[in-house]
Amino acid sequence: MASKRKRVVLSLADKLKIIEQLDKGVTGKKLSEIYGVGQATICDIKNSKSTLLNFVSVLENEDGSSSRKTMKTATNKNLEDAVFKWFLQQRSMGNPISGPILCEKAKILAEKLGYSSFKASNGWLRNFKFRHGVRELDLAGEKLSADSAAAENFIEKFKTAAESYDPEFVYNADETGLVWKALPKTTLASKRESSAPGHKVSKERVTVLNCANSTGNHKLPLLLIGQSKNPRAFKNVKKLPLFYKSQPKAWMTAALFTEWYDEVFIPEVKKHQKSVGKEGSKVLLIVDNAPTHPTAELLEREKGQFKTTFCLPMLQVCCNPWTSLLLKQ
């Protein structure tokens, strides 16, 4: 009597490999032997190819884990999406997020969204981390952003997509937080001083958006986001050398980004095109995939003359300056 075959549960990554091999002509029988599953399983994977590819595509955009073995989504998807967007926003600003902090934020969002029965249990946290590929790192150790392999893969894809653009009109925009009242962490001291008393660290910050083209020939005016609508420092200033906007927490929002895009980016680029005699050229803006950035479809203007694409989070860590490397042949 033949021994019973051990049950094997394939990961999504394994299923993708099977689909790839099927497309290359490898038989289902051969694959069933390689992966230790029945031919019926291989057939099911083949039939669900479209669904599987779409699911994995969404998973990759959300930094999910391809080691997961099912396509099951969260029970409270709206809440899950809200928590993950908040998490990405905090990490894009460099804020460390622990498990308890994430759970506490999930409770707050659940209450706002009307999920009264939601409990941010250890099980929920474990599943959330697994679904989105979230892991714990030492702050001084491994760098989340330094994924050289992913960066190289993105660069190759980008080179192909950017072939139809003049490097003069390929732009990169990125936000950074500026703690403008921060004092130096070290100080000069006379030999009479045996120690230097510390000081309370200021947390007053603003957000600054920088934007320039890949050749470095065109640098746009800065976008500065502060908390005050009418800062006293601007009193009697007739014209600012930048674009100033206010937001209660001095953060970037989708509305502010769109306003900057329409009122600053497009007019400034058109002005530059006119100055170099290349009016009407196609323009590509590259930004990271922060939740505060609208989709590429929402940012397309002038019948496709102005388009936007999104890079990997904090790709600059791997490529510095990364826009130059992207365009390097």
Side-chain angles (χ1 to χ4, degrees), residues 140-293:
E142 180 183 355
K143 294 181 180 178
L144 277 170
S145 52
D147 189 344
S148 299
E152 290 175 7
N153 183 46
F154 174 83
I155 290 171
E156 290 305 315
K157 290 182 179 179
F158 178 82
K159 282 182 179 179
T160 302
E163 285 179 353
S164 60
Y165 289 89
D166 183 336
E168 189 69 20
F169 304 117
V170 176
Y171 289 79
N172 177 215
D174 193 23
E175 299 98 334
T176 184
L178 175 64
V179 184
W180 62 280
K181 279 191 175 181
L183 296 174
K185 294 182 179 179
T186 59
T187 182
L188 298 176
S190 69
K191 61 181 180 181
R192 295 180 182 180
E193 298 176 89
S194 59
S195 63
H199 55 268
K200 186 177 180 180
V201 178
S202 172
K203 295 183 179 180
E204 291 191 52
R205 65 182 295 280
V206 294
T207 295
V208 180
L209 174 70
N210 304 275
C211 183
N213 65 356
S214 64
T215 62
N217 295 328
H218 186 209
K219 301 177 181 67
L220 278 72
L222 297 176
L223 165 62
L224 178 65
I225 304 173
Q227 290 180 298
S228 175
K229 288 185 178 181
N230 299 295
R232 283 183 291 177
F234 293 170
K235 188 177 181 180
N236 298 324
V237 177
K238 294 182 179 180
K239 186 177 181 181
L240 292 170
L242 48 77
F243 187 63
Y244 179 81
K245 287 293 174 180
S246 63
Q247 200 272 341
K249 292 187 177 181
W251 287 353
M252 174 64 81
T253 65
L256 287 179
F257 188 90
T258 303
E259 187 176 354
W260 168 83
Y261 185 74
D262 288 327
E263 296 184 14
V264 179
F265 179 72
I266 292 178
E268 288 291 330
V269 171
K270 285 185 174 181
K271 190 187 300 182
H272 179 60
Q273 287 181 333
K274 187 175 182 180
S275 69
V276 296
K278 294 184 177 180
E279 295 174 85
S281 297
K282 293 195 299 181
V283 179
L284 181 64
L285 173 65
I286 308 161
V287 293
D288 61 33
N289 59 354
T292 52
H293 295 157

Side-chain angles (χ1 to χ4, degrees), residues 286-304:
I286 308 161
V287 293
D288 61 33
N289 59 354
T292 52
H293 295 157
T295 63
E297 290 76 17
L298 290 175
L299 292 175
E300 185 172 323
R301 299 287 189 276
E302 312 267 337
K303 296 181 179 180

Side-chain angles (χ1 to χ4, degrees), residues 83-144:
V83 174
F84 188 55
K85 284 182 179 179
W86 174 84
F87 171 77
L88 289 179
Q89 185 181 50
Q90 295 302 308
R91 291 304 303 135
S92 69
M93 294 186 292
N95 297 330
I97 302 296
S98 65
I101 291 176
L102 189 67
C103 287
E104 192 60 34
K105 185 63 180 181
K107 291 177 184 177
I108 294 171
L109 291 174
E111 186 177 347
K112 289 182 177 180
L113 293 173
Y115 293 101
S116 56
S117 61
F118 172 77
K119 292 183 179 179
S121 63
N122 289 334
W124 173 84
L125 178 62
R126 181 183 63 251
N127 293 334
F128 176 88
K129 289 161 66 177
F130 184 71
R131 280 192 292 268
H132 297 286
V134 176
R135 64 199 191 283
E136 293 184 6
L137 299 176
D138 292 331
L139 290 178
E142 180 183 355
K143 294 181 180 178
L144 277 170

Side-chain angles (χ1 to χ4, degrees), residues 58-108:
V58 172
L59 198 67
E60 288 177 346
N61 288 334
E62 296 179 349
D63 299 330
S65 172
S66 60
S67 63
R68 60 189 296 180
K69 298 179 179 180
T70 68
M71 291 188 282
K72 184 179 179 181
T73 56
T75 304
N76 305 317
K77 193 173 187 308
N78 290 339
L79 174 61
E80 180 99 356
D81 291 344
V83 174
F84 188 55
K85 284 182 179 179
W86 174 84
F87 171 77
L88 289 179
Q89 185 181 50
Q90 295 302 308
R91 291 304 303 135
S92 69
M93 294 186 292
N95 297 330
I97 302 296
S98 65
I101 291 176
L102 189 67
C103 287
E104 192 60 34
K105 185 63 180 181
K107 291 177 184 177
I108 294 171

